[in-house]
């Protein structure tokens, strides 16, 4: 069998059981990594892990917003698969509403899953990566973290927060050989965008120079590059994958 660029690496993908995360898990497995798939629904995470190409993958039930669950999960991943070389903070949720109508709970829940979740996992793997002087962290944000979006104050704040965290972590860990980048996807067809009406999709297509919605695989190929050896000199960057919508 020919060698692949991620052979021998252990990757952990939060929200790897569906949508963009699942496509990223597939791309990293295809690159030779053993992948830990993390989601709140453990059965779905295990089922997704079982369908990945190659061997040595496993699924784990964990709510990323809960620091205690995150440490237990990291210990289980290290025991079962090995120390994490590649972390992809992809798990995310929306609770959209206009700011005047947004509940405090909906604000906290989105920040908890999208921003605190990435902090929890980054903190849990950073020490090991620094000791081994090798590691790649990738945060999946969103173009609305750059532009803002009416009805998404909580979500846009969480994604803009991820950009600040990405650059800070990149600066803190660079001297130990650990890189941290972000991908800001535009509109990608997944469960999250299934709720859009035909009319909304038509409106969106008019704003996208490449005139099509993206597929999870479009984000996954960029992710595979950014966590791999081809990106060894890239850190602290936000790569927009959106068909040219925001430039
Ligand atoms: P999705 O289809 O709704 O999947 C979300 C994934 O995250 C699922 O695997 C879900 O599994 C997991 N998850 C959600 N909350 C979690 C939590 N608290 N703890 C652990 N796992 C959790 O979403 P997607 O569209 O693929 O989006 C993936 C990421 O890309 C998100 O961060 C999203 O904000 C970002 N993004 C998406 C788009 C888009 O157009 N789709 C655009 C820009 C950015 P469980 O339900 O089992 O927990």
């Amino acid at each position: 069998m020919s060698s692949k660029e991620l052979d021998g690496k252990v990757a952990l993908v939060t929200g790897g059981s569906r949508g963009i995360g699942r496509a990223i898990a597939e791309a990293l497995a295809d690159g030779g990594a053993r992948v830990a798939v993390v989601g709140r629904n453990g059965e779905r995470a295990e089922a997704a892990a079982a369908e990945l190409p190659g061997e040595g993958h496993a699924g784990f039930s964990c709510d990323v917003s809960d620091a205690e669950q995150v440490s237990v999960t990291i210990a289980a991943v290290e025991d079962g698969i090995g120390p994490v070389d590649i972390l992809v903070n992809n798990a995310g949720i929306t609770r959209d509403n206009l700011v005047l109508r947004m509940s405090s709970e909906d604000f906290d829940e989105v920040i908890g899953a999208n921003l605190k979740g990435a902090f929890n996992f980054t903190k849990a793997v950073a020490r090991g990566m620094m000791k081994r002087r090798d590691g790649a962290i990738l945060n999946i944000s969103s173009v609305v973290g750059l532009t803002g979006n009416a009805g998404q104050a909580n979500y846009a704040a969480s994604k803009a927060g991820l950009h600040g965290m990405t650059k800070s972590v990149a600066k803190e860990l660079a001297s130990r050989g650990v890189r941290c980048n972000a991908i800001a996807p535009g509109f990608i067809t997944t469960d999250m965008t299934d709720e859009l009406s035909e009319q909304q999709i038509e409106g969106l297509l008019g704003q996208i120079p490449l005139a099509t919605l993206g597929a999870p695989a479009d984000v996954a190929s960029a992710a595979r590059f950014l966590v791999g050896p081809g990106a060894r000199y890239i850190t602290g960057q936000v790569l927009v994958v959106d068909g040219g919508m925001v430039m």
Side-chain angles (χ1 to χ4, degrees):
M1 214 169 65
S2 62
S3 70
K4 297 197 175 163
E5 87 276 17
L6 302 179
D7 277 347
K9 300 286 186 195
V10 173
L12 186 153
V13 182
T14 69
S17 52
R18 283 190 278 135
I20 292 172
R22 185 173 185 146
I24 293 174
E26 274 168 20
L28 303 189
D30 190 56
R34 282 169 288 147
V35 182
V37 175
V38 171
R40 286 165 302 183
N41 183 325
E43 278 174 23
R44 204 155 47 195
E46 280 166 27
E51 285 179 13
L52 294 175
E55 284 172 6
H57 318 298
F60 299 85
S61 162
C62 171
D63 183 337
V64 298
S65 65
D66 182 331
E68 189 61 40
Q69 287 188 37
V70 171
S71 0
V72 170
T73 302
I74 287 296
V77 171
E78 286 181 349
D79 267 5
I81 313 183
V84 176
D85 304 295
I86 296 167
L87 168 66
V88 182
N89 288 310
N90 162 83
I93 56 167
T94 53
R95 296 283 182 274
D96 297 351
N97 217 331
L98 296 172
V99 73
L100 290 179
R101 294 196 198 128
M102 187 175 285
S103 69
S104 179
E105 289 75 24
D106 282 352
F107 187 87
D108 289 348
E109 206 183 332
V110 168
I111 298 291
N114 299 8
L115 184 56
K116 184 81 183 296
F119 166 75
N120 288 337
F121 265 102
T122 299
K123 189 168 173 185
V125 301
R127 195 182 302 277
M129 287 181 174
M130 286 162 81
K131 270 195 189 149
R132 295 188 298 279
R133 298 200 161 260
D134 184 36
I137 299 170
L138 179 64
N139 295 321
I140 306 302
S141 60
S142 166
V143 287
V144 309
L146 298 167
T147 62
N149 196 22
Q152 291 198 306
N154 49 1
Y155 183 78
S158 73
K159 298 304 191 178
L162 276 179
H163 293 160
M165 195 162 81
T166 298
K167 293 173 193 189
S168 304
V169 169
K171 286 183 175 177
E172 281 186 35
L173 305 188
S175 65
R176 310 296 183 89
V178 180
R179 300 181 300 103
C180 182
N181 291 292
I183 291 178
F187 285 93
I188 310 294
T189 48
T190 67
D191 291 351
M192 196 178 264
T193 46
D194 265 0
E195 292 157 20
L196 295 173
S197 66
E198 287 280 312
Q199 214 180 3
Q200 283 173 309
I201 291 178
E202 278 302 307
L204 279 172
L205 290 178
Q207 300 168 37
I208 301 173
L210 288 176
T212 178
L213 299 187
D218 296 322
V219 179
S221 55
R224 178 171 170 175
F225 164 68
L226 279 175
V227 303
R232 63 178 282 273
Y233 202 52
I234 301 176
T235 196
Q237 300 305 305
V238 178
L239 178 61
V240 178
V241 177
D242 71 345
M245 187 170 60
V246 174
M247 59 170 99

